[in-house]
Structures are given as C-alpha cells and as structure tokens.
Amino acid sequence: MIQININQSLIVQHWEYILPIFLVILGVFYFKKLKAFKSPREENVKSNKLDGEEYVGADYKDDEDIDEYTPALEESEHIPFKGASITLPGGAEAFYEIVNNRRSIRSFSNKTIPFEIIETCIKAAGTSPSGAHTEPWTFCVISDPSIKTQVREIIEAEEYLNYTQRMHRQWTADLKPLHTDHIKEYLTEAPYLILIFKQIYGFKPNGGRKQHYYNEISVSIATGILLCALQAAGLSSLVTTPLNCGPALRNLLNRPQNEKLLVLLPVGYASEDCKVPNLKRKPVEDILVTY
Ligand SMILES: Cc1cc2nc3c(=O)[nH]c(=O)nc-3n(C[C@H](O)[C@H](O)[C@H](O)COP(=O)(O)O)c2cc1C
C-alpha cells in the first residue's frame, strides 16, 4: 500500500506559491466565462444560426480594441412630425389605379424625355427608407447612345451564354411566355437606362468601412418607389437583372468595388406597336391574410 505523508507533500510545503497561482487560473477561467455570458451574440455568431435561421449580423465582427462604438449616423435632434400631410387626391384608390396601370415593356419609342423628370423620379427613390439610414444606393443614368451601345454589347454577349448554356431548361421554359431572348433592342431604343447599384458597404469619414445593413432590401424598396414615380410621370420601364453582367457594367461606368449592380431599368414611352403579355394579377384575397 502506498502511504502519502501529508506533511512532506510538495503542495503542502509550497502552498503559499501554489494557492495564488491556482486562484489566478480560477480567476482567468471565470473572467472568460463572464465575458462569454455578456455577449450571447457571439454564441449565435459562432453557430451562424438563430432558431434554424441565418443570424442577421453574423458577419459583423466585434473589434476587441473598441469599448464603445461611435454611431455612423450623426446624432440629430428629434423633431415633431404630424404624419403624412401631402396626399394624393383620391387616396389609396387613386394610387392603386396608377400602379395597376404599370406594365413591363420591352419596346420603347425614341420620343425624348426631359432629364429633369428622370432626376425628380430618382429624387423620389432617394426618399426610400434604408437600414440605419445608410442610403446604400447609386442610380446611374445613361442617355449617351455610345454608352448604351456598349451596355447592350456586354449584356447580349452574356445573355447569349446565359440562355444557351447557363440557365436551367426549366428557367428558359418559364421565360417563353414573355418572349424574351438574348437580343435586347430596348437597351439602345429606350431614351434612358437607369442602372441601380447597391452599395454593400460605405465609408466612414476616416476611410474605414461603414456597415450597410439590409442594403439589398433598402435598394429594392427604393427601386419600387422609382417604378411608381416613373409611372406617375407617364413613363414606362422594365426591371431587368442582367445575369453575370454586373462586374463588366460596373467597370464600364467606373463604379467602385463596394457597388454591385442590382437592376437595370430601360425607361421611356412605349413604342406605337408595343405589346405586353395579357398577365393576370393575383386577387387581393390570395395575397392578403387577416388576423
Ligand atoms: C426582380 C425582377 C427581375 C426581372 N428580370 C427581368 C429580366 O431580366 N428581363 C425581362 O425581360 N424582364 C424581367 N423582369 C420583368 C418581369 O418579367 C415582369 O415584371 C413580370 O413578367 C410581370 O409583368 P409586369 O411587370 O408587366 O406586371 C423582372 C422583374 C423583376 C421584379
């Protein structure tokens, strides 16, 4: 049997050194635990999931050196606001009539349109709400025929590959009723092309990156407002998403790396012989659920 002489044990002999070391190790252990407790967000970030859903903000890394973050948006006085005071005569019903009259067109007249109308429509789009008021959009308006031609060349070359090689046959089948193909005459016919870029991040005054939360949703809402404004101005357009053309179009227009093309809208009046598919919209009973 092994006998341990307690009085001669190393631990007992050197307890005055060993005890503080033990307490320090214990302290570090609990400090780390406490830190983790303070930041449950970090736990979610690790798993990247929240109730099985992607954790929004998971890609925003904590900066260990920063104790308190400065808001990107400058602090401003909160002023009284009485709610909507400029309204459309006829209200919601009139607005519905206007937007229900919108159709995507793929054949444009070359009738000129004062630039100021386009500018006002973009001003309207710029009133859109955006994540943390980051306003993560850039609207590039092209009227120069030579640039329109270059845009068309880029898109038609890429769309040829999309239609013939890249898109699933189900996808091309789904597009058949719309009579679309890789030839995009509207890109040179329409008086204006509006290329809408989402800024996936912005810049702080010190040059550092600024987070643009929900940038795609924000720019999509702005695009919706733009479509309504164009419609209210009697103009027509077409939402297009030129597949795999973003980088080439961004280079053509010398846009920076933080901007990604979201949609391209040709804008103008419908041509004399313009035709659209006779699409039916879902009745309100199918899209509205009440509780
Ligand atoms: C996100 C989005 C992407 C679209 N992309 C294209 C496109 O690349 N080419 C095209 O001809 N139409 C495109 N469209 C237009 C749709 O085909 C059109 O909105 C749909 O057929 C309904 O027709 P309407 O706009 O006349 O109501 C797109 C529409 C949306 C909202």
Side-chain angles (χ1 to χ4, degrees):
M1 230 172 99
I2 304 167
Q3 281 201 343
I4 300 171
N5 185 338
I6 290 180
N7 286 337
Q8 282 173 11
S9 146
L10 279 175
I11 296 174
V12 172
Q13 279 177 32
H14 302 291
W15 70 270
E16 70 267 44
Y17 302 113
I18 290 169
L19 186 66
I21 291 170
F22 175 72
L23 287 176
V24 167
I25 292 170
L26 205 67
V28 168
F29 177 75
Y30 276 103
F31 178 72
K32 278 195 169 168
K33 268 200 121 172
L34 200 70
K35 235 181 126 196
F37 175 74
K38 266 188 184 166
S39 179
R41 178 187 170 279
E42 283 173 10
E43 280 304 309
N44 287 317
V45 169
K46 252 188 251 160
S47 68
N48 212 20
K49 292 269 187 276
L50 199 66
D51 288 342
E53 299 264 339
E54 180 94 357
Y55 183 88
V56 175
D59 47 345
Y60 307 143
K61 296 270 175 301
D62 278 342
D63 191 331
E64 299 278 316
D65 303 331
I66 298 180
D67 287 337
E68 198 168 324
Y69 287 86
T70 325
L73 186 65
E74 208 174 300
E75 198 57 68
S76 72
E77 183 196 353
H78 282 215
I79 52 173
F81 177 63
K82 301 249 178 292
S85 55
I86 301 172
T87 54
L88 191 64
E93 194 56 45
F95 185 76
Y96 165 70
E97 294 299 335
I98 292 172
V99 293
N100 191 35
N101 181 232
R102 183 205 58 79
R103 290 305 312 272
S104 293
I105 63 159
R106 296 175 179 85
S107 175
F108 289 82
S109 107
N110 59 6
K111 193 173 155 195
T112 55
I113 298 158
F115 175 74
E116 290 69 31
I117 296 178
I118 303 295
E119 190 182 36
T120 306
C121 292
I122 289 174
K123 229 162 81 174
T127 67
S128 171
S130 60
H133 193 54
T134 44
E135 303 173 285
W137 39 67
T138 306
F139 300 88
C140 296
V141 179
I142 305 175
S143 56
D144 182 324
S146 71
I147 305 179
K148 284 196 275 180
T149 302
Q150 291 176 72
V151 168
R152 182 172 168 183
E153 282 168 4
I154 290 171
I155 293 181
E156 287 189 342
E158 218 48 61
E159 287 283 67
Y160 176 76
L161 296 174
N162 294 334
Y163 273 85
T164 57
Q165 296 169 28
R166 296 176 182 146
M167 285 152 79
H168 191 278
R169 285 195 296 140
Q170 180 63 61
W171 193 350
T172 49
D174 289 342
L175 291 177
K176 276 205 178 111
L178 302 176
H179 296 183
T180 62
D181 57 24
H182 72 281
I183 305 293
K184 313 282 181 194
E185 276 157 3
Y186 54 74
L187 291 172
T188 42
E189 273 176 354
Y192 292 103
L193 302 180
I194 305 180
L195 280 78
I196 307 177
F197 289 85
K198 57 176 184 183
Q199 299 167 0
I200 54 170
Y201 57 89
F203 296 98
K204 293 177 182 166
N206 69 5
R209 277 191 189 192
K210 189 176 107 180
Q211 297 286 359
H212 277 180
Y213 314 99
Y214 301 110
N215 58 77
E216 183 156 327
I217 300 178
S218 305
V219 184
S220 302
I221 295 171
T223 302
I225 295 175
L226 177 59
L227 290 177
C228 295
L230 293 168
Q231 186 66 20
L235 296 170
S236 290
S237 63
L238 168 68
V239 174
T240 71
T241 39
L243 190 62
N244 301 316
C245 302
L249 293 172
R250 188 183 62 202
N251 287 343
L252 176 73
L253 302 179
N254 283 323
R255 299 312 308 162
Q257 285 288 325
N258 65 322
E259 294 186 3
K260 303 258 181 266
L261 183 69
L262 186 72
V263 289
L264 181 157
L265 311 179
V267 174
Y269 294 104
S271 68
E272 288 288 321
D273 57 355
C274 176
K275 284 191 175 149
V276 293
N278 189 13
L279 303 176
K280 301 279 172 282
R281 293 187 168 124
K282 289 179 179 174
V284 72
E285 306 79 59
D286 287 5
I287 60 169
L288 172 67
V289 184
T290 53
Y291 296 93

